[in-house]
Amino acid sequence: MCGIAGILKFDPQARADEARLQAMSDSLVHRGPDGAGLTLSGQVGLVHRRLSIIDLAGGRQPMSCEQGRLSISYNGELYNFKELRAELERRGHRFSTRSDTEVLLQAYAEYGPACVEHLRGMFAFAIWDNSRQQLFLARDRLGIKPLYVAVKHDELLFGSEIKAILAASAVRPRFNRAVLPEFLASRYVTGKDTFFEGISTLLPGHCLTWSAAEGLRERRYWQPPMAWEHPERDYDDYIDEVRSGLEDAVRSHLVSDVPVGLFLSGGIDSSALAGLMAPMLNEPLRTFSVGFRELEANELGYARLAAESVGAEHREVLLSPNQFFAELPRLLWHEDEPIAFTSSIPLHVISRLAREHVKVVLTGEGADELFLGYDYRYRVTVWNLRMGGLYQQCLPAALRQRLAQAVPHLPRRLRRYVERSFLAVDCNPRNIFFENFSVFRRAARQQLLLDPQLEIERDIHAYNLQQYHAGGGEALACMSHADLQTYLVELLMKQDQMSMAASLESRVPFLDHRLVEQVAAIPGRHRLRGGHTKALLRDAVRDVVPPAIMKRGKMGFPVPIGPWLRGPYWWLVEEFVLGKRARARGYFQADALHALTQEHRSGRANHAERLWLLINLEIWQRIFIDGEATDSIYSGCGRAPLQHPQADPCQQVAVP
């Protein structure tokens, strides 16, 4: 696991600037504290920061082969590198290291850009072909590893994190205001855009090639299969297939020359990984958990149960609200963009704990999107679509309109549910699935934004479910297909940046592309069966997960920021939402902000998610747009500064 960056000058007579490349390298030191490399080849410069996992002595980068014709800077892990190496040796290639980096480089020498189709793993890499004067960039199929790109009139910059590109630029970064509506709706930005003007992301399953002859060319080399394009089989066959595929994925993800651990939440996903991993190791499995003192946000008891069931060496950490908010500015800098999910903070804290004992962890990320684990998001959406179809057929439009107009006058507790149902929402997949689960729904966005043209100009395509009709109404498979390419990508960025901020490699066996291809081809009704989320996964791992965990409901990494922002941390709202600097940005209606914040403070509504987004957006602007240091963010708030986590250590416990 590493950090990569580089500069390509379009003019073959120009030279990449070594000082700029060094600045890019310095910005990524947390991604690779074990070593650094920089290579210049005329118009191209490649940078690498190394976290040593495989071939500790021989895997240094950037790496070259064929008398310097090919050079690579690579971030990730290839889980099939031994099999691929054997195949390349049969084709006449010779190797001087044991690293997967050299295997990837030789695979490019053999297959060219088609090499990506031979790779099993997570990766983002750059290869410079000096003989062809060609730069090749690629990102793994699911987007587990990030890669950002900036194209200017005379050069192309790329990096594992946006801050590497910023470090090489002489121009002050500018906020891409066009993303505001989508950020308010979904917490993040889908597609290529980022929060920075002129910086984009290379999408999952895509590669980008530049050559002097043809310029820039982008190609999509992979996408998840669609269930309705595959013949249906017996449910029991699917159970066996999933179990076999998951075991194979877990076994492949254990390849490492350093110790491997597991993030253990006490849910089905990570508990299943524990049950499968433990027998494959030659020593006790090392597991790590995080929680809060608030009971509603603490599932450590279930994590201990899962650890005990496999004889794991278990450690856990408790995070206080003071520590949570003290971490925020620094971790926002690590994430480059506003932090979408409150769970990013505890994820980094558990990563720091794990890094004291291992260099690599496995996590259960991706299982919810693949096996349909979100109850309201999937099960309730399908119910709404079915009932809404009958509702539209049986009741005339005039009567439906009158009933919808009555919804705002219902008692508050009842209104919470009805206003998100087919009784109040136009019953189509986009509205029922995307808008219904937006943080700020369309009406709220229009009310909040000072410039309503932003909402009009940026149509949000994150959950365009046109394939719903092509799939014969297979709504569940369509929703999974959409989430795998949008919502999950943001979760993976959180996973990558929060773990790499602690110099820890995280691996996601549920997103092994072979397993994804197996499961995505299974009809949604088998993945969510009999009203039970993850039905197929449950049946496939029932023998390795404790019954109490199998029966429990999903918590989903809860963080109790609602009460915190209503009580002792209200001052964060006053400063970063209602404060003079925040209001002076000119993005939001002052009256709408006032109403929102007062509803939350009085307890009339829970706007915790909305306030989290607004607080993050303002702190992000102070750091990246205004150039303020992270350790001074709170100093001008008229409050005693929050203690730095090193001065207020998290409570750590080793559980026998």
Side-chain angles (χ1 to χ4, degrees), residues 325 328-329 565 567-585 588 593 597-598 601 611-623 626 628 632-640 642:
F325 288 115
L328 179 56
L565 293 179
Y569 296 91
W570 169 253
W571 62 270
L572 290 164
V573 177
E574 290 182 311
E575 173 65 25
F576 299 113
V577 179
L578 300 173
K580 183 177 180 180
R581 284 180 68 182
R583 287 185 286 109
R585 307 279 180 192
F588 305 123
L593 286 178
T597 55
Q598 293 309 310
R601 191 180 193 190
L611 294 176
W612 172 257
L613 294 188
L614 297 175
I615 290 169
N616 262 267
L617 179 62
E618 175 59 22
I619 296 178
W620 173 83
Q621 289 177 103
R622 295 188 186 189
I623 294 171
D626 300 346
E628 194 169 326
S632 67
I633 291 297
Y634 295 139
S635 61
C637 298
R639 299 275 176 163
L642 293 167

Side-chain angles (χ1 to χ4, degrees), residues 465-484:
L465 299 183
Q466 290 179 350
Q467 69 263 38
Y468 171 76
H469 300 289
E474 238 294 3
L476 286 168
C478 288
M479 288 186 282
S480 173
H481 193 270
D483 274 348
L484 284 170

Side-chain angles (χ1 to χ4, degrees), residues 269 363-371 484 488 491-492 508 510-511:
D269 310 333
T363 83
E365 207 72 84
D368 284 313
E369 294 75 21
L370 191 58
F371 289 99
L484 284 170
L488 176 64
L491 292 176
L492 291 171
V508 282
F510 280 109
L511 296 180

Side-chain angles (χ1 to χ4, degrees), residues 256-384:
S256 174
D257 292 339
V258 297
V260 179
L262 172 70
F263 284 167
L264 191 56
S265 69
I268 291 174
D269 310 333
S270 61
S271 298
L273 294 181
L276 295 174
M277 287 175 67
M280 298 179 184
L281 300 174
N282 296 322
E283 58 185 5
L285 173 62
R286 302 175 191 181
T287 57
F288 308 92
S289 301
V290 61
F292 298 89
R293 291 181 174 84
E294 291 84 350
L295 292 178
E296 71 274 14
N298 192 318
E299 50 184 343
L300 292 176
Y302 287 105
R304 293 171 193 161
L305 175 61
E308 290 168 3
S309 72
V310 298
E313 181 184 292
H314 184 62
R315 293 177 175 84
E316 58 191 39
V317 59
L318 280 175
L319 182 61
S320 74
N322 184 76
Q323 295 152 347
F324 178 91
F325 288 115
E327 293 276 13
L328 179 56
R330 184 175 65 88
L331 295 184
L332 211 155
W333 177 83
H334 275 289
E335 194 142 326
D336 287 329
E337 298 182 294
I339 294 178
F341 303 102
T342 54
S343 55
S344 289
I345 311 299
L347 176 58
H348 173 70
V349 170
I350 192 179
S351 296
R352 281 210 311 260
L353 170 63
R355 186 61 177 85
E356 296 174 7
H357 306 277
V358 297
K359 266 190 174 182
V360 179
V361 292
L362 270 58
T363 83
E365 207 72 84
D368 284 313
E369 294 75 21
L370 191 58
F371 289 99
L372 300 171
Y374 302 122
D375 187 31
Y376 281 94
R377 190 173 180 86
Y378 298 133
R379 186 180 61 81
V380 175
T381 295
V382 169
W383 180 84
N384 264 316

Side-chain angles (χ1 to χ4, degrees), residues 39 62-72 105:
T39 184
M63 183 181 289
S64 298
C65 74
E66 299 195 355
Q67 291 77 49
R69 179 175 77 86
L70 299 177
S71 299
I72 187 172
L105 193 55

